[in-house]
Amino acid sequence: MVKILVAEKLNEKGLDVLYASGMDIVYNKDITREELLDTIHEYDALIVRSLPIVDKELLDKATKLRVVGRAGNGVDNIDMEAATNQGVVVVNTPDSNSISACELTIGLLIAACRNISEANNCLKHGEWGRSRFQGVELSGKTLGIIGLGRIGTLVANRMKAFNMNIIAYDPYITDEQFARGRAEKKERLEDLLREADVITIHTPKTAETLGMIDREQFAMMKDGVRVVNCARGGLYNEEALAEALKSGKVAGAACDVLSKEPCTDSPLYAFPNFTVTPHIGATTTEAQESVGICVAEEVVNALKGELVANAVNMPVLKNEDLLTIKPYMRLGELLGKIYHQLQKKPVYKVAVDYCGEAAELDTGMITRAVLRGLFEPILKEQINYVNAMKVAEARGVGVIESKEQDAGHFPGLIRVKVYAGQRVYRYCGTIFGLDDPRIVEIDGYRFDFRPEPNMILVENVNKPGMIGKIGTVMGENNINISAMQVCPGGDNEVAMMTFGISREPSEEQLENIAALDDVLKVRFVEF
Ligand code: NAD
Ligand code: MLT
């Protein structure tokens, strides 16, 4: 039975979704690293939040693992490269906790400007001290946002209502995204650092962003600046932050995240104007329920082989695109499957042309489906949508996509060209109606057939009587034909016949057909 390990606390509604799937669920929210390493080989899927480290050591032992579900947004606790190489799909819940993280950011921002936590502590320790806690207003000030993605944009839009002037630095987004955040674009981080009265960071933790706010960057900031980090620990160098708090350069700082977590002791904790929370950005009833349900649904769908919207190591698909892309993925996989069942030469390049309505789709997943189909007959379960590109690369197979408007008389067409030896082999297909795949060309032979699970392809001399002869031998061998088509080749001398049949024929039965006069080649093809 398919087995899922939930290795960190998960909302009850998410657990309900898992139990309802009928799969075997092990909920061990306090599992130790040792236990995880010892038992991971038993599981098909693993669900974590941010504490368990899903690194190469763990993945190497996870011989059955197909899916890692991250109940949350950041995937910095998961070795994406190792997961991808191993064909393990990683899913997360990028939208489910953004509002909660944004709202905590604003809470911290105000705390840093109004000394809320320090005032709270003093009062609870018997000191009224009202005059000590003079803060600053946000209205009319400049907020600098580093990283204007989902959460950065939510913060920007809300802080407009505080009458703040918003500036942002994010070298990876378009001008439209700056406009959506109603933020003035800063081309250089330095410009943001010099102009902002309050700074908040919302980037992921990457090699580039780790420690991106260091001594040099703090030195560029305005005296008395306030800084917030509700994204990932380590984006601000914590030693540099401590020095800036000590010197007064930074008048107030607030962080929900620290470079090492859990962290119950840090030099930063000594500063009264440093407010800290234990990574609770997503810890709201709404976010946890939404994250729990979302990750559970994604993991179950991924295990069932269905497409998932939030797969981190595959192209992300919008829910509304899934319906149109799915039939073309199926078609791409069917077309990919043909080559290795007909030819034995090593492939060095695959080109996929998307024509007509197929060209309008987000084709990344369809190309992966073509590759999965292509390699499946020779690699079996080692190839999936996650590692398809990597497998092609590792095998030295170049992959090219192109798009063209003209699909001939079809609404949409996929043309798969497989380069091997001196030749290019072409396989084309289309979708009839909403989701009915048809093969319309096999290497120069034009057809219009629905791929059946079991098919026989026969090449023969193009002369009268061949259909009858071959049909008779099939009948004598108890092979039931469910569909049949014939196509003369371009030179009219040879033809190809395709037969949909009820079951896989034996070698001997295929040989009986191949032994007929004027039959040139007989191949069994599975779709
Ligand atoms: P996102 O991917 O939507 O946005 C991140 C933005 O950072 C992107 O626009 C990207 O272009 C930008 N970026 C990347 N590198 C950059 C760089 N070098 N300089 C400037 N900008 C850069 O992510 P999001 O959903 O907005 O999440 C933001 C952060 O918040 C992540 O680190 C996430 O893990 C964290 N997060 C924390 C909590 C929490 O509990 N505290 C909750 C949710 C998310
Ligand atoms: C996230 O990346 O989603 C947050 O850090 C929250 C969490 O880990 O739960």
Side-chain angles (χ1 to χ4, degrees):
M1 194 196 250
V2 175
K3 220 171 159 184
I4 303 177
L5 172 64
V6 183
E8 220 174 331
K9 189 170 175 357
L10 193 72
N11 177 272
E12 265 174 34
K13 294 210 170 138
L15 287 170
D16 289 346
V17 171
L18 294 176
Y19 291 126
S21 72
M23 296 175 186
D24 184 6
I25 312 301
V26 176
Y27 184 33
N28 188 351
K29 63 183 171 51
D30 300 315
I31 195 165
T32 62
R33 169 86 180 165
E34 288 65 37
E35 270 180 277
L36 195 53
L37 285 169
D38 282 350
T39 56
I40 192 67
H41 62 274
E42 297 170 20
Y43 296 99
D44 299 272
L46 168 69
I47 296 180
V48 297
R49 256 182 93 176
S50 50
L51 288 183
I53 305 297
V54 186
D55 54 8
K56 188 158 181 330
E57 184 190 14
L58 184 72
L59 288 163
D60 279 346
K61 292 181 186 285
T63 41
K64 272 175 72 189
L65 200 69
R66 287 185 280 147
V67 187
V68 175
R70 161 70 168 100
N73 181 339
V75 285
D76 37 293
N77 55 326
I78 301 167
D79 183 334
M80 293 305 297
E81 198 178 337
T84 305
N85 285 339
Q86 223 166 292
V88 174
V89 57
V90 178
V91 296
N92 69 347
T93 61
D95 294 312
S96 306
N97 59 25
S98 303
I99 289 180
S100 292
C102 157
E103 290 179 358
L104 184 71
T105 303
I106 294 169
L108 292 178
L109 214 134
I110 295 173
C113 291
R114 300 301 303 271
N115 311 302
I116 292 177
S117 56
E118 192 187 351
N120 169 70
N121 283 344
C122 284
L123 187 50
K124 287 188 175 168
H125 286 91
E127 189 193 336
W128 187 249
R130 194 172 167 204
S131 55
R132 263 183 59 200
F133 301 115
Q134 182 164 301
V136 288
E137 279 186 356
L138 291 170
S139 179
K141 300 279 177 3
T142 296
L143 172 65
I145 301 181
I146 306 169
L148 196 63
R150 277 177 292 260
I151 299 169
T153 303
L154 290 171
V155 171
N157 282 319
R158 281 155 179 73
M159 294 322 289
K160 271 277 176 200
F162 277 67
N163 192 33
M164 291 197 86
N165 166 41
I166 316 288
I167 59 175
Y169 169 73
D170 190 328
Y172 301 113
I173 59 168
T174 59
D175 288 351
E176 287 71 44
Q177 285 169 285
F178 278 97
R180 222 180 312 141
R182 295 188 290 159
E184 183 193 326
K185 175 179 175 176
K186 290 290 160 196
E187 299 284 353
R188 300 176 330 150
L189 178 60
E190 297 91 286
D191 297 336
L192 179 145
L193 299 175
R194 288 199 172 96
E195 285 176 40
D197 300 296
V198 183
I199 294 172
T200 179
I201 190 159
H202 298 283
T203 66
K205 182 167 149 188
T206 63
E208 190 191 3
T209 61
L210 187 63
M212 81 186 276
I213 306 299
D214 211 325
R215 287 179 182 82
E216 196 189 333
Q217 285 70 31
F218 279 114
M220 289 176 191
M221 294 178 191
K222 283 187 178 177
D223 291 341
V225 66
R226 264 77 179 175
V227 299
V228 171
N229 182 3
C230 194
R232 277 293 174 270
L235 304 181
Y236 295 148
N237 175 326
E238 286 170 8
E239 274 179 29
L241 175 58
E243 287 165 19
L245 279 164
K246 194 168 176 198
S247 70
K249 177 83 183 176
V250 170
C255 293
D256 180 46
V257 285
L258 290 150
S259 49
K260 267 217 179 103
E261 293 179 10
C263 172
T264 49
D265 190 18
S266 157
L268 286 167
Y269 295 179
F271 294 95
N273 50 348
F274 178 71
T275 300
V276 65
T277 48
H279 201 149
I280 55 169
T283 310
T284 62
T285 312
E286 293 81 357
Q288 282 315 303
E289 192 175 303
S290 164
V291 160
I293 294 171
C294 179
V295 76
E297 286 176 348
E298 297 257 291
V299 166
V300 169
N301 284 343
L303 284 171
K304 287 183 185 160
E306 288 173 18
L307 278 181
V308 281
N310 298 318
V312 187
N313 47 358
M314 291 195 285
V316 174
L317 296 175
K318 293 193 217 93
N319 274 331
E320 59 270 28
D321 291 341
L322 286 177
L323 276 181
T324 33
I325 288 179
K326 254 184 174 174
Y328 277 102
M329 284 180 66
R330 170 99 187 99
L331 175 65
E333 191 163 337
L334 292 166
L335 291 169
K337 275 184 176 179
I338 303 173
Y339 174 79
H340 276 298
Q341 300 193 75
L342 301 188
Q343 311 296 337
K344 295 283 167 247
K345 277 182 274 175
V347 176
Y348 65 87
K349 188 164 89 178
V350 178
V352 189
D353 304 335
Y354 294 96
C355 314
E357 68 172 27
E360 284 154 30
L361 301 174
D362 191 347
T363 50
M365 282 300 286
I366 309 175
T367 301
R368 283 163 186 258
V370 170
L371 295 176
R372 182 168 122 137
L374 179 73
F375 293 122
E376 201 260 351
I378 51 175
L379 300 178
K380 289 291 168 204
E381 67 285 345
Q382 296 161 32
I383 174 96
N384 59 28
Y385 300 127
V386 178
N387 63 4
M389 287 297 200
K390 290 252 176 198
V391 169
E393 193 186 317
R395 299 176 69 85
V397 177
V399 181
I400 300 174
E401 273 188 19
S402 73
K403 295 191 173 187
E404 54 194 75
Q405 301 242 298
D406 185 12
H409 52 279
F410 301 108
L413 183 91
I414 302 183
R415 190 184 302 120
V416 174
K417 293 182 289 192
V418 180
Y419 293 71
Q422 302 299 311
R423 277 212 49 193
V424 183
Y425 299 85
R426 267 165 61 123
Y427 311 105
C428 304
T430 188
I431 299 290
F432 278 11
L434 287 180
D435 56 4
D436 193 3
R438 301 298 169 107
I439 308 285
V440 295
E441 182 184 331
I442 295 185
D443 208 20
Y445 293 105
R446 292 181 184 255
F447 295 99
D448 160 17
F449 70 86
R450 181 181 289 138
E452 307 275 332
N454 300 306
M455 296 197 74
I456 289 179
L457 269 51
V458 180
E459 270 181 288
N460 54 275
V461 176
N462 186 18
K463 61 190 264 197
M466 294 306 294
I467 299 177
K469 267 196 333 197
I470 295 169
T472 305
V473 176
M474 290 217 194
E476 284 167 3
N477 285 277
N478 204 20
I479 301 172
N480 195 31
I481 301 170
S482 54
M484 188 261 159
Q485 280 198 17
V486 61
C487 171
D491 56 8
N492 234 10
E493 303 214 332
V494 290
M496 183 181 273
M497 291 186 215
T498 64
F499 298 90
I501 54 171
S502 50
R503 60 175 173 79
E504 181 174 350
S506 66
E507 281 296 314
E508 194 190 342
Q509 289 168 333
L510 287 177
E511 278 162 19
N512 289 342
I513 302 168
L516 287 169
D517 283 347
D518 299 317
V519 167
L520 305 172
K521 258 187 212 156
V522 180
R523 265 86 39 104
F524 171 64
V525 174
E526 279 180 293
F527 282 107

